[in-house]
Amino acid sequence: MGALLALASALCYGVVDFAGGLLSRRVPHAAVTFLGQVGGLLLAAGAALLVPADAVHPADLMWGALSGVGSATAMRFLNRGLSHGAMSVVVPVSAVTGVALSVLCGVLLLGDRPGALAWVGIAVTGPALWWVSGGGSHMGREAADGLLASAGVAVQYVALGQADSVSGLWPVVAGRVAAVLVLLPGAARHPRLLGLPARRCAQALLIGAGAALGLVLYLLAAQRQMLAVAVVLASLYPALPVLLGLAVLRERISRRQAAGLVGAAAATVLLTVG
């Protein structure tokens, strides 16, 4: 069940990154990032009210808030990179490093002990995501944004994974509040960024709600699965924007990217059964 929830989280994030990348090419990426976190807060709060929580501990809210700081950082640099770079570069670059940092934290600091097949799946994931990104070709400013976003990705996943299940979904709400507060000063300095047409505002809010849904699914997965495995499965999302870019935007895919997609599929199977 934990593996399926993590894969569902990856599906959400894949769709969100694809839609956010398209929107960030049409409107200022700072507006997409801030409004997205507001939309995420609205969805998280509604979901938390529906899911019972036995006890909401301050420590769990603090872990959630730290995760939100990571989310705000990741989305800021992801959207900035997507606004001027290829989707097939910035998203996988952020995911590869984010996976590596998260798995290291899980194994070295949190005592995760994946099985043999899961280790093989983890080992396959890094190269697979790198190949999906083009194997380091055409790297530029977008790759730097992806690397900066990866630190936020790692903080987001590791911190949220520490929240106790008795707190329900309130750690996710705390994270969305923290993310909004982190991004608020920048939005306040540039109020014109938020003067978007109603349709664009609604799209940004919906994208943020999708990201929050992905985090909710990841939190539920981390409560049922080792952090190292849940993170890797949830981080397979870069494969989806590449596939959507191929199908919707008619982007061309290289043999290396095709090999990466096959590797991502193999890693999914190994991690699920391992």
Side-chain angles (χ1 to χ4, degrees):
M1 187 62 178
L4 292 177
L5 288 168
L7 288 173
S9 173
L11 179 63
C12 283
Y13 266 109
V15 173
V16 162
D17 279 345
F18 180 77
L22 292 180
L23 186 59
S24 293
R25 295 176 183 179
R26 294 176 172 85
V27 300
H29 63 83
V32 177
T33 303
F34 179 75
L35 289 174
Q37 296 302 328
V38 173
L41 174 57
L42 294 174
L43 182 134
L49 291 172
L50 296 175
V51 176
D54 296 330
V56 182
H57 297 145
D60 297 324
L61 296 180
M62 290 180 64
W63 282 118
L66 180 59
S67 173
V69 173
S71 296
T73 302
M75 294 309 298
R76 177 186 176 186
F77 287 108
L78 270 176
N79 285 333
R80 190 176 79 172
L82 290 171
S83 68
H84 58 67
M87 230 174 256
S88 58
V89 173
V90 64
V91 175
V93 166
S94 68
V96 168
T97 313
V99 166
L101 292 174
S102 300
V103 169
L104 284 174
C105 287
V107 172
L108 298 179
L109 302 179
L110 305 177
D112 283 351
R113 295 294 179 266
L117 287 178
W119 270 119
V120 175
I122 291 171
V124 169
T125 299
L129 293 180
W130 188 253
W131 290 334
V132 167
S133 74
S137 61
H138 307 296
M139 295 298 196
R141 179 181 172 187
E142 61 267 26
D145 285 330
L147 289 172
L148 289 170
S150 69
V153 170
V155 171
Q156 169 186 271
Y157 281 144
V158 174
L160 191 59
Q162 306 314 300
D164 197 312
S165 60
V166 298
S167 292
L169 300 181
W170 291 106
V172 180
V173 177
R176 298 314 91 210
V177 172
V180 169
L181 293 177
V182 167
L183 296 170
L184 184 59
R189 287 195 301 270
H190 304 285
R192 63 181 181 83
L193 295 179
L194 303 182
L196 304 178
R199 182 167 66 94
R200 298 301 188 192
C201 287
Q203 289 172 341
L205 290 170
L206 187 60
I207 288 170
L213 178 59
L215 271 182
V216 168
L217 293 169
Y218 165 75
L219 175 60
L220 297 175
Q223 292 169 353
R224 295 164 172 79
Q225 182 78 55
M226 280 185 296
L227 178 72
V229 175
V231 166
V232 175
L233 285 172
S235 296
L236 290 171
Y237 63 86
L240 188 58
V242 174
L243 291 173
L244 289 173
L246 178 66
V248 178
L249 302 180
R250 305 298 182 185
E251 293 181 351
R252 299 182 65 183
I253 185 171
S254 67
R255 292 181 180 178
R256 188 171 292 176
Q257 287 177 305
L261 292 172
V262 173
T268 300
V269 174
L270 290 167
L271 288 163
T272 302
V273 302

